Amino acid sequence: MYQEVILDHYKHPHGRGLRDGQAEVHHVNPTCGDEITLRVRMDGSVIGDVSYEGQGCSISQASASVLNDLLVGKDLAEAQKIQETFLELMQSKGRIEPDDAMEEVLEDAVAFAGVSKYPARVKCALLSWMAWKDATAQALSEPSGSADASGGKTA
């Protein structure tokens, strides 16, 4: 079942295609060549939008799609809790078996539980999540004015 979730998000990605945002980051996984350019738009303390373009394996691309589903529309504190829970699962080396509480927080992201057993693949699953964390920090550090899609400030 988990493989089906990952393949479905890979074949039918959510949030793909760069849209306007306050901050943009580009991350590369040097081990395998996966890449992502990710933009974040904050609406106050709410994640207004996460959009991305990328290339790489099904794990990295599906993970970005799941991230979009899980974080857009969430309050920043809740989004950070989801990100931390996903990071904990990915760093567990397969020792954490998702329970009902974790499944409630992570939804489709629990499909990546098996990935945590393969250190080289963990970086693939975390690529978009680390990009989101950096882009969000960048968006939050912007003065109260808006920024254009490239991260540059506009009047």
Side-chain angles (χ1 to χ4, degrees):
M1 177 187 136
Y2 284 164
Q3 287 180 338
E4 288 177 29
V5 169
I6 292 171
L7 287 174
D8 186 54
H9 275 278
Y10 176 67
K11 291 176 183 174
H12 308 287
H14 305 166
R16 189 173 189 88
L18 292 172
R19 295 178 293 278
D20 288 342
Q22 291 163 289
E24 176 180 298
V25 298
H26 181 78
H27 280 210
V28 177
N29 179 349
T31 345
C32 65
D34 289 355
E35 298 185 36
I36 190 163
T37 300
L38 184 137
R39 289 183 186 161
V40 170
R41 188 189 80 237
M42 298 295 297
D43 294 337
S45 66
V46 173
I47 311 301
D49 191 30
V50 176
S51 62
Y52 65 94
E53 277 297 334
Q55 60 185 24
C57 69
S58 60
I59 291 171
S60 71
Q61 298 303 294
S63 186
S65 175
V66 168
L67 177 147
N68 174 275
D69 281 358
L70 286 175
L71 303 187
V72 172
K74 298 285 193 312
D75 182 81
L76 180 60
E78 186 179 357
Q80 287 171 326
K81 180 183 180 221
I82 294 167
Q83 187 267 337
E84 289 165 5
T85 304
F86 187 70
L87 181 63
E88 178 186 0
L89 178 64
M90 288 297 92
Q91 292 177 337
S92 74
K93 297 180 180 171
R95 289 188 291 255
I96 293 178
E97 187 63 40
D99 58 12
D100 290 344
M102 184 174 273
E103 286 185 21
E104 189 173 319
V105 171
L106 294 179
E107 299 175 18
D108 278 357
V110 298
F112 295 88
V115 172
S116 70
K117 297 173 187 171
Y118 306 97
R121 307 306 286 176
V122 167
K123 288 183 180 183
C124 301
L126 288 176
L127 184 65
S128 59
W129 293 82
M130 296 300 107
W132 173 79
K133 189 175 177 182
D134 288 351
T136 301
Q138 184 181 325
L140 293 171
S141 71
E142 286 286 326
S144 58
S146 64
D148 68 23
S150 66
K153 186 132 167 39
T154 59

